[in-house]
Amino acid sequence: MKKPTGAININMKKVLILTVTAGNGHNACAKGMKRKLESTGDCEVKIIDLLKSYAGKTDVWVSDGGYNLAVSKLPLLYNAFYEKYINRPPQRRYSTPSQATILKIIPGLLKEILEFKPDVIYSTHFYGAMAATDIKLVYNLPCVNVSAALDYVLSPFWESGIGVDYFVIPNEDFIEYSLYKGYRREQLLPMGLPVDPRTLEVVSKSDAREALGLEKDLFTVMVMFGGGHWNGGFKIFKDVVNSLKGRKAQIIMINGRNEQGFKKTAALKPPAGIKILNVGFTTDVPLYMSAADVILNKFGGTSVTEMINKSLPMLITEKLAAQEKHNLVYLKEKGAALSFKNARTLKENLIKLMDDEALREGMSEKTKEFRKDASGDLAEFILSRPDADYTKLIASKIDFSKVRQRVRAALKAADKRERAKKKNKN
């Protein structure tokens, strides 16, 4: 690619990836994209956790520990909050509750941008999209800003990130709703969810099972509720064991960092005919997925996409956080997933999947409609963007003691314009 005249970076593309620790999905996608970009050999990538780098300890806890507490202990309250804000008029984008947090991080982020001078900023969380949008209300960023949704729903506050140059969405089904949120058609990239590209590697069930020491011709169920933040995984594992009693099968139980769950699984004596592979934290989840006939899981967007990439029939708990409920509704409508709300319906659907190979094959075929190499396509897109020239922004000599004040004033003015626009429409 020819370098434009006056560009600052002459050796390699520079990409700043913005993430937030809210569970592990955003960070995993950030790291996956970093690996993908750097594999080209001519790209310098830096990952910034926005809250850990520029906000207070309370903000960090709320985004991760507070979120996990809410979805595990106070799900009704969390889901009510989610539904309230997803139905909030998108014209209120400049006065959402998250704007207070964004104002805290903007001065530090702007300094980072001026020091690193990225050609592209890529955000795996709406906070990054919001920060870019808010900064651009006052300062002319010369880099290209790209953000990506990581669920099969546009969660609350994505409407506040419409100032990015490009927005990656799951597929064409989400174009209309993105337009409603305030995005323009030319911003939308229906590439899919950019998750670990290893999940696209084709590994036969036979080879995967041999590598894992499993029987090659035995019905295999994978259960994955690890991470230590969700307390229903072991109960569901026991329900799976009880559902398969009297049959021959093997169960892969992925506990992640949930040490208590790992110990409980190890202590459980399975009935005759049932083989259990007990797994703690692993970086080889794609290999375990390749060995499975069916998977039971929660339904975060990254997990959904990894399962889709492996063409796995999915049997999903209905005890979910709101965004995961939306993911489930979407994939059930598409015929790629079944769900269960208790031990009885789990057993009914699991036995149905075990006995009906045509059903499994049909669900697997449905997942192929959504299977995309989003990481590869997005990496290629990012690397094709022009170099950024920071000469003018640096010459403007930003007074960082007034950045927050200026952005706050710009947000108020923008909010006023949006309200007036909505009033005139009505």
Side-chain angles (χ1 to χ4, degrees):
M1 183 177 65
K2 187 177 178 181
K3 306 287 182 182
T5 304
I8 297 297
N9 299 325
I10 59 174
N11 295 318
M12 61 174 61
K13 191 68 65 185
K14 298 180 78 171
V15 181
L16 182 64
I17 299 181
L18 306 180
T19 186
V20 169
T21 302
N24 191 51
H26 303 283
N27 290 337
C29 289
K31 291 173 184 175
M33 184 55 64
K34 183 176 188 288
R35 288 193 298 270
K36 192 72 177 177
L37 290 166
E38 288 179 340
S39 67
T40 65
D42 59 354
C43 185
E44 181 181 357
V45 184
K46 186 172 186 178
I47 296 178
I48 296 290
D49 186 315
L50 286 170
L51 298 185
K52 288 184 177 179
S53 298
Y54 309 123
K57 291 182 180 179
T58 300
D59 299 291
V60 173
W61 181 85
V62 167
S63 74
D64 189 29
Y67 166 77
N68 289 313
L69 176 65
V71 297
S72 62
K73 304 295 185 183
L74 304 166
L76 294 179
L77 183 62
Y78 171 82
N79 289 354
F81 173 90
Y82 184 99
E83 296 300 335
K84 173 184 176 181
Y85 281 99
I86 201 172
N87 292 312
R88 196 172 189 247
Q91 294 82 3
R92 302 294 303 278
R93 60 178 54 86
Y94 296 111
S95 60
T96 66
S98 291
Q99 291 291 4
T101 303
I102 301 304
L103 282 169
K104 293 178 184 178
I105 69 177
I106 279 177
L109 176 59
L110 187 53
K111 282 183 182 178
E112 182 70 50
I113 291 170
L114 288 176
E115 289 173 7
F116 186 62
K117 300 181 183 66
D119 301 298
V120 178
I121 297 176
Y122 169 58
S123 302
T124 67
H125 190 277
F126 62 80
Y127 275 3
M130 287 179 68
T133 296
D134 292 359
I135 289 172
K136 287 172 70 175
L137 291 174
V138 179
Y139 305 98
N140 185 22
L141 292 179
C143 53
V144 173
N145 274 276
V146 183
S147 63
L150 294 183
D151 279 297
Y152 292 82
V153 60
L154 297 191
S155 299
F157 312 139
W158 269 116
E159 66 274 9
S160 302
I162 62 170
V164 296
D165 298 290
Y166 300 99
F167 183 36
V168 181
I169 55 177
N171 54 51
E172 288 79 4
D173 287 349
F174 294 83
I175 289 176
E176 185 176 348
Y177 192 63
S178 297
L179 297 176
Y180 165 74
K181 284 277 192 178
Y183 290 89
R184 303 183 309 281
R185 180 61 185 86
E186 59 269 25
Q187 291 175 282
L188 303 177
L189 302 175
M191 290 181 172
L193 275 63
V195 300
D196 189 340
R198 292 180 303 162
T199 56
L200 287 164
E201 296 172 2
V202 178
V203 180
S204 72
K205 282 186 173 63
S206 178
D207 288 346
R209 290 174 185 176
E210 182 178 7
L212 296 171
L214 294 167
E215 294 187 36
K216 290 186 179 181
D217 299 319
L218 205 56
F219 181 72
T220 305
V221 182
M222 180 170 168
V223 182
M224 188 165 71
F225 293 91
H229 297 307
W230 199 83
N231 58 11
F234 182 71
K235 180 184 182 304
I236 289 174
F237 166 71
K238 286 198 301 181
D239 289 340
V240 170
V241 173
N242 291 332
S243 297
L244 296 173
K245 195 175 292 184
R247 292 171 173 251
K248 289 186 177 181
Q250 51 197 359
I251 305 169
I252 303 168
M253 178 60 178
I254 306 289
N255 289 283
R257 290 190 172 90
N258 189 337
E259 294 180 5
Q260 186 179 14
F262 181 85
K263 290 176 182 177
K264 286 181 177 180
T265 302
L268 188 142
K269 185 178 180 181
I274 304 296
K275 180 177 180 178
I276 294 172
L277 179 57
N278 187 23
V279 184
F281 177 76
T282 177
T283 58
D284 290 324
V285 168
L287 179 63
Y288 290 100
M289 285 184 172
S290 295
D293 291 300
V294 174
I295 186 166
L296 284 83
N297 204 346
K298 288 189 345 82
F299 226 45
T302 54
S303 295
V304 173
T305 308
E306 289 170 352
M307 292 184 282
I308 285 171
N309 287 352
K310 283 298 182 184
S311 299
L312 268 171
M314 297 170 270
L315 180 53
I316 305 302
T317 176
E318 293 177 11
K319 182 185 176 183
L320 296 169
Q323 70 276 13
E324 297 179 348
K325 285 180 181 286
H326 285 276
N327 292 337
L328 179 58
V329 168
Y330 179 75
L331 269 298
K332 282 180 71 174
E333 287 177 352
K334 297 295 182 178
L338 296 175
S339 67
F340 62 92
K341 60 182 178 181
N342 52 37
R344 179 182 59 79
T345 52
L346 186 159
K347 181 176 182 178
E348 288 174 359
N349 283 325
L350 183 57
I351 296 303
K352 187 190 300 182
L353 286 163
M354 184 178 189
D355 292 344
D356 192 340
E357 186 177 354
L359 173 62
R360 296 199 307 272
E361 289 178 354
M363 291 174 67
S364 179
E365 196 64 31
K366 290 290 185 181
T367 65
K368 293 176 183 177
E369 298 176 21
F370 311 102
R371 196 172 185 269
K372 298 171 182 272
D373 183 11
S375 293
D377 292 343
L378 182 56
E380 185 177 331
F381 180 81
I382 286 173
L383 293 172
S384 71
R385 297 307 91 193
D387 293 347
D389 186 347
Y390 283 83
T391 305
K392 289 183 180 179
L393 186 58
I394 292 171
S396 67
K397 296 180 179 179
I398 295 170
D399 182 350
F400 283 95
S401 67
K402 295 182 179 178
V403 166
R404 195 173 295 164
Q405 178 183 343
R406 291 193 64 189
V407 172
R408 184 184 289 111
L411 283 169
K412 287 182 179 179
D415 184 50
K416 188 176 180 179
R417 288 194 299 271
E418 289 282 357
R419 288 171 185 261
K421 198 187 301 182
K422 184 182 178 184
K423 187 177 179 181
N424 291 336
K425 267 188 180 179
N426 296 336

